[in-house]
Amino acid sequence: MQKPILILGACGQIGTELTYALRDKHDNDTIIASDIREGSEDLMSSGPFELLDATDYNALEEVIAYYEISEVYLMAAMLSATAEKFPMRAWNLNMNSLFNVLNLAKEKKIDKVFWPSSIAVFGPNTPENNTPQNTIMEPTTVYGISKQSGERWCNYYHHKYGVDVRSVRYPGLISWKTMPGGGTTDYAVEIFHKALSDGHYTCFLKEDTKLPMMFMDDAIRGTIMLMESNEEDIKIRSAYNLSAMSFTPAEIADNIQRIVPDFEITYIPDFRQEIADSWPSSIDDSIARRDWGWQPEFDLERTSELMLRNLKNKD
Ligand code: AKB
């Protein structure tokens, strides 16, 4: 029988799909969704839901004790583009929520933690192509600095206090069920919505900006796979590189045009271009494949086809 799992940030882009995936897999009553704001009626009524601020240690401790939570997925975070506008708010949210969860695990109030890192931990001095697991990491964004610091703290809490914390460096995530909020890779979701609603998209990145991306189903499957892996197989306690595909705005537009022939794209780069330029183009995830059997299933062609078909059916 699955011990209760708590999802923090359950109404966000990843949290929503993770909540549904875990509720599909286990008894709905054992998957506790929580967020600082309310989510869709469906998400809130398909199992237990708590309004909860992940930076409030006492409130978090209370919910964990009440439901006898065993595992926490900490999905609450401020992403790269928004974090540049609100540096201190981003730092406080991204770090304090992590410390709260790590300290609860240190005190044995929970058994296992998932915390997401990001390709944003890398910076302009990192090798850009096929970026290795261990390499130069000098992030130049607020978000990247918080993720890199978070990785070091996860590693520290594991080695110093035996905390079972697990993490991956997510690339940009593409989903037709949920919208991203405040990231630099958001264009790769917006473009599908605009292709169907307007037949046109104005992209905030240049046409040849190549970034690592992943279809949400792969991300959710990988996340749950990592959490269900044997403890002794998890050799990296900072965060694993995770990869599926890499493409440019021009390449995604080309894929869309194969299905929506009249689709047009124009490029007006904004402040997010500098963020994207500091990140790798592609990622070497061979260590995740070796340690816990990671294998992506979706490429750009399949992602484009599924995005357009499902968004069309949704309307
Ligand atoms: C962002 O663009 O900020 C995120 C990320 C790559 O972590 N999607």
Side-chain angles (χ1 to χ4, degrees):
M1 166 83 178
Q2 175 63 48
K3 292 188 189 159
I5 293 175
L6 174 66
I7 299 145
L8 297 164
C11 299
Q13 188 202 14
I14 315 175
T16 301
E17 296 218 24
L18 185 63
T19 303
Y20 285 129
L22 289 170
R23 283 182 178 163
D24 275 350
K25 206 171 156 77
H26 305 292
D27 182 355
N28 282 18
D29 288 342
T30 63
I31 309 301
I32 313 345
S34 76
D35 205 297
I36 197 161
R37 60 188 166 91
E38 294 196 337
S40 70
E41 192 44 48
D42 185 58
L43 182 109
M44 293 194 300
S45 59
S46 60
F49 180 83
E50 292 285 338
L51 274 178
L52 181 59
D53 176 357
T55 64
D56 182 340
Y57 183 88
N58 293 334
L60 186 55
E61 189 181 27
E62 219 171 274
V63 168
I64 283 171
Y66 179 77
Y67 287 101
E68 298 179 7
I69 298 292
S70 161
E71 293 176 26
V72 172
Y73 288 74
L74 169 51
M75 311 314 280
M78 194 183 288
L79 299 188
S80 57
T82 311
E84 290 305 300
K85 295 182 181 153
F86 308 105
M88 285 324 295
R89 251 205 265 165
W91 178 259
N92 290 336
L93 168 61
N94 295 359
M95 299 314 292
N96 293 345
S97 58
L98 176 60
F99 276 122
N100 283 350
V101 173
L102 289 177
N103 283 327
L104 286 160
K106 177 186 161 193
E107 286 156 26
K108 310 273 178 252
K109 293 184 172 155
I110 44 178
D111 304 320
K112 213 191 272 186
V113 174
F114 178 82
W115 171 79
S117 187
S118 160
I119 56 161
V121 293
F122 300 117
N125 299 323
T126 301
E128 194 187 334
N129 294 307
N130 217 20
T131 302
Q133 175 71 41
N134 297 307
T135 184
I136 298 167
M137 293 163 84
E138 293 174 347
T140 48
T141 63
V142 172
Y143 175 64
I145 293 168
S146 76
K147 288 295 177 188
Q148 194 200 21
S149 310
E151 284 196 9
R152 298 329 312 154
W153 281 113
C154 288
N155 195 57
Y156 183 87
Y157 269 69
H158 175 73
H159 289 287
K160 192 89 175 174
Y161 308 121
V163 167
D164 187 357
V165 56
R166 305 173 183 206
S167 178
V168 295
R169 294 170 178 153
Y170 285 130
L173 299 180
I174 304 172
S175 162
W176 56 271
K177 293 181 196 154
T178 52
M179 289 300 281
T184 302
T185 58
D186 294 13
Y187 91 85
V189 178
E190 289 168 9
I191 194 170
F192 290 105
H193 288 264
K194 290 286 183 188
L196 292 174
S197 64
D198 301 359
H200 178 263
Y201 180 61
T202 305
C203 186
F204 56 76
L205 296 182
K206 289 190 212 153
E207 62 178 306
D208 58 352
T209 308
K210 190 170 181 180
L211 288 171
M213 301 277 182
M214 185 178 286
F215 190 52
M216 185 63 89
D217 293 32
D218 267 345
I220 299 294
R221 192 174 47 79
T223 302
I224 296 174
M225 220 176 137
L226 175 66
M227 285 297 270
E228 289 180 349
S229 295
N230 292 329
E231 207 172 335
E232 56 279 12
D233 291 337
I234 312 301
K235 310 281 190 233
I236 290 179
R237 296 298 184 153
S238 50
Y240 279 96
N241 274 7
L242 208 63
S243 168
M245 59 183 134
S246 286
F247 56 78
T248 64
E251 285 164 345
I252 192 171
D254 190 54
N255 266 266
I256 292 173
Q257 276 156 354
R258 284 184 212 162
I259 303 170
V260 185
D262 294 336
F263 173 66
E264 282 176 7
I265 183 164
T266 45
Y267 302 94
I268 306 184
D270 66 14
F271 72 101
R272 288 168 282 193
Q273 184 64 46
E274 197 183 335
I275 302 177
D277 286 343
S278 76
W279 290 351
S281 298
S282 60
I283 298 285
D284 173 5
D285 62 359
S286 50
I287 298 192
R289 291 174 190 240
R290 181 200 67 193
D291 285 0
W292 46 277
W294 162 247
Q295 191 78 50
E297 287 178 358
F298 296 87
D299 59 12
L300 175 58
E301 206 177 322
R302 196 154 165 228
T303 299
S304 303
E305 201 263 311
L306 283 168
M307 285 297 288
L308 292 170
R309 176 150 43 95
N310 286 298
L311 285 176
K312 214 183 240 170
N313 293 341
K314 218 174 156 193
D315 297 335

